[in-house]
């Protein structure tokens, strides 16, 4: 969905692991859950008596912890729903074990190894593509399967993917950039220069490169004017924002800003950019990392930002989605109605 978001419920993109849990339940129901696994067929969840063990890896510490917490909440709601509906594989209940990857691929890989070796052979979660890329091969080597819900890096999918036992529920960067480029080209045919600000990790560079190249292919004569890359866990961007602002003069027409960030990073950038009136110096501000959480966190002061990677709870009319949204809302009403920073 391409959207220009000003306000929305906070964090809904980040509860997508529910979809991973429902997918896991379907896999377990269809294939059984004995836990015996070969590297070619995958392990599914490990069953112990009347339970099926699932492993969840998320970012529950650091500046992006709110995203990991939201993802974990969504997974717990989905597990509760599956169990309330009778469980899987002849009535076995799901049991969710969680690990904090600390937004570090090496920690995520260690978490995965510990979970699988303790019997959790179906691994869910992972906020960041670099962590998915670290986790999936480890899980596969130990006979398990990984279901990612938000990781979008292209090397995770396709015939040459990093792990054959990795299953994705997320839109890929190729697909979202292609859609974003077509809309931006139609809406802003006069854009000539683009500035980049993003996280210095695999997906940040991949998104920026793919989206800009797609815009060029669709007819925009773009050139990259300035680019700034910051650490994934950083939260202070005043020096980069000041440098961008000072480098700009004259009318905004013909200029675009691309944010290869997400969550708290996007929110922090826009808050720190406000005193400089930075976004008003561009004809278009674009992201491909989700914007509804920032739109709501900025509480009415969010600038217009074009986004091609998002999940809105009211878009799908399926009974499964409606049931999940209803229960998630009931259990976290105060959280969803509060518009505050990540």
């Amino acid at each position: 969905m391409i959207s220009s978001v000003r306000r929305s419920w906070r964090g809904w993109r980040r509860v997508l692991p529910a979809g991973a849990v429902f997918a896991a339940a379907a896999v377990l129901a269809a294939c059984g859950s004995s836990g015996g696994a070969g590297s070619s067929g995958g392990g599914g969840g490990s069953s112990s008596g009347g339970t099926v063990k699932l492993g969840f890896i998320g970012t529950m510490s650091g500046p992006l912890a709110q995203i990991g917490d939201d993802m974990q909440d969504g997974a717990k709601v989905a597990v509760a729903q599956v169990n309330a509906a009778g469980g899987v594989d002849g009535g076995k209940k799901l049991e969710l074990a969680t690990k904090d990857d600390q937004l570090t691929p090496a920690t995520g890989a260690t978490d995965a190894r510990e979970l699988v070796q303790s019997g959790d052979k179906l691994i869910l979660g992972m906020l960041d593509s670099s962590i998915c890329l670290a986790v999936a091969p480890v899980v596969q080597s130990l006979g398990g399967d990984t279901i990612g819900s938000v990781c979008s890096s292209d090397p995770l999918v396709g015939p040459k993917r990093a792990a054959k036992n990795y299953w994705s529920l997320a839109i890929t960067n190729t697909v979202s950039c292609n859609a974003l480029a077509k809309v931006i080209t139609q809406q802003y045919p006069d854009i000539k220069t683009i500035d980049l600000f993003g996280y210095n990790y695999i997906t940040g560079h991949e998104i920026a490169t793919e989206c800009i190249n797609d815009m060029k292919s669709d007819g925009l004569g773009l050139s990259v004017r300035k680019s700034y890359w910051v650490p994934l866990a950083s939260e202070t961007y005043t020096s980069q924002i000041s440098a961008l602002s000072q480098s700009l003069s004259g009318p905004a027409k013909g200029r675009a800003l691309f944010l290869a960030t997400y969550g708290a990073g996007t929110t922090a950038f826009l808050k720190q950019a406000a005193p400089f009136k930075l976004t008003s110096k561009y004809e278009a501000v674009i992201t491909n990392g989700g914007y509804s959480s920032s739109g709501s966190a900025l509480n009415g002061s969010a600038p217009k930002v074009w986004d091609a990677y998002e999940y809105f709870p009211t878009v799908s009319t399926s009974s499964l989605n409606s049931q999940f949204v209803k229960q998630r809302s009931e259990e976290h009403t105060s959280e969803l109605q509060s518009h505050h920073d990540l």
Side-chain angles (χ1 to χ4, degrees), residues 128-179:
D128 180 78
S129 289
S130 63
I131 297 173
C132 280
L133 287 165
V135 164
V138 171
V139 174
Q140 178 170 290
S141 71
L142 297 173
D145 290 83
T146 307
I147 300 179
S149 56
V150 297
C151 296
S152 59
S153 183
D154 292 327
L156 287 165
V157 299
K160 297 181 179 180
R161 61 188 181 274
K164 299 297 183 183
N165 289 5
Y166 177 86
W167 312 93
S168 178
L169 300 178
I171 188 172
T172 64
N173 293 336
T174 293
V175 173
S176 58
C177 281
N178 182 269

Side-chain angles (χ1 to χ4, degrees), residues 37 200 204-205 278 293 326:
N200 190 19
H205 289 278
L278 183 67
S293 61
K326 182 176 184 295

Side-chain angles (χ1 to χ4, degrees), residues 1-332:
M1 170 179 290
I2 301 291
S3 61
S4 175
V5 180
R6 289 186 182 275
R7 291 192 61 159
S8 177
W9 278 0
R10 183 177 65 84
W12 274 105
R13 181 176 69 87
R14 302 181 301 253
V15 298
L16 278 174
V21 173
F22 290 133
V27 169
L28 293 167
C31 303
S33 56
S34 64
S39 60
S40 61
S46 173
S47 62
S48 177
T51 63
V52 175
K53 299 174 69 176
L54 308 177
F56 176 88
I57 298 174
T59 301
M60 270 82 80
S61 59
L64 298 178
Q66 183 61 62
I67 301 179
D69 290 341
D70 284 348
M71 291 173 70
Q72 182 178 225
D73 287 344
K76 287 180 177 178
V77 168
V79 165
Q81 289 185 347
V82 172
N83 287 340
V88 299
D89 193 24
K92 294 183 176 68
K93 300 298 185 182
L94 300 182
E95 178 184 304
L96 190 69
T98 63
K99 290 277 191 179
D100 180 8
D101 58 38
Q102 301 174 32
L103 201 60
T104 305
T107 303
T110 299
D111 289 344
R113 186 174 300 278
E114 292 176 354
L115 285 168
V116 176
Q117 289 179 339
S118 67
D120 305 281
K121 290 197 172 184
L122 189 54
I123 304 301
L124 319 170
M126 289 78 66
L127 164 65
D128 180 78
S129 289
S130 63
I131 297 173
C132 280
L133 287 165
V135 164
V138 171
V139 174
Q140 178 170 290
S141 71
L142 297 173
D145 290 83
T146 307
I147 300 179
S149 56
V150 297
C151 296
S152 59
S153 183
D154 292 327
L156 287 165
V157 299
K160 297 181 179 180
R161 61 188 181 274
K164 299 297 183 183
N165 289 5
Y166 177 86
W167 312 93
S168 178
L169 300 178
I171 188 172
T172 64
N173 293 336
T174 293
V175 173
S176 58
C177 281
N178 182 269
L180 182 66
K182 292 187 184 308
V183 171
I184 296 301
T185 301
Q186 292 170 3
Q187 295 290 325
Y188 302 99
D190 298 323
I191 289 178
K192 301 299 181 186
T193 64
I194 190 163
D195 291 338
L196 302 178
F197 179 87
Y199 287 138
N200 190 19
Y201 77 125
I202 180 173
T203 305
H205 289 278
E206 187 178 297
I207 286 174
T209 299
E210 287 197 32
C211 288
I212 290 173
N213 285 343
D214 283 347
M215 284 186 264
K216 290 179 178 179
S217 297
D218 286 338
L220 288 183
L222 280 179
S223 63
V224 176
R225 195 184 68 95
K226 299 281 186 180
S227 59
Y228 295 94
W229 300 98
V230 297
L232 189 57
S234 61
E235 295 181 277
T236 303
Y237 316 127
T238 307
S239 62
Q240 294 90 349
I241 290 169
S242 176
L244 277 173
S245 180
Q246 292 177 18
S247 71
L248 296 167
S249 61
K253 190 173 181 62
R255 295 195 297 246
L257 173 65
F258 190 96
L259 300 177
T261 54
Y262 59 84
T266 300
T267 305
F269 180 91
L270 293 173
K271 279 189 171 182
Q272 293 165 35
F276 295 88
K277 298 182 178 179
L278 183 67
T279 58
S280 67
K281 299 179 181 181
Y282 294 95
E283 185 178 3
V285 181
I286 308 161
T287 188
N288 199 26
Y291 188 51
S292 70
S293 61
S294 297
S296 57
L298 291 168
N299 200 21
S301 65
K304 180 178 178 179
V305 175
W306 289 91
D307 171 41
Y309 184 68
E310 199 61 87
Y311 167 67
F312 294 98
T314 56
V315 170
S316 175
T317 57
S318 71
S319 60
L320 189 63
N321 182 76
S322 299
Q323 180 187 7
F324 171 75
V325 169
K326 182 176 184 295
Q327 186 169 340
R328 178 73 165 88
S329 301
E330 290 172 350
E331 295 190 10
H332 303 277

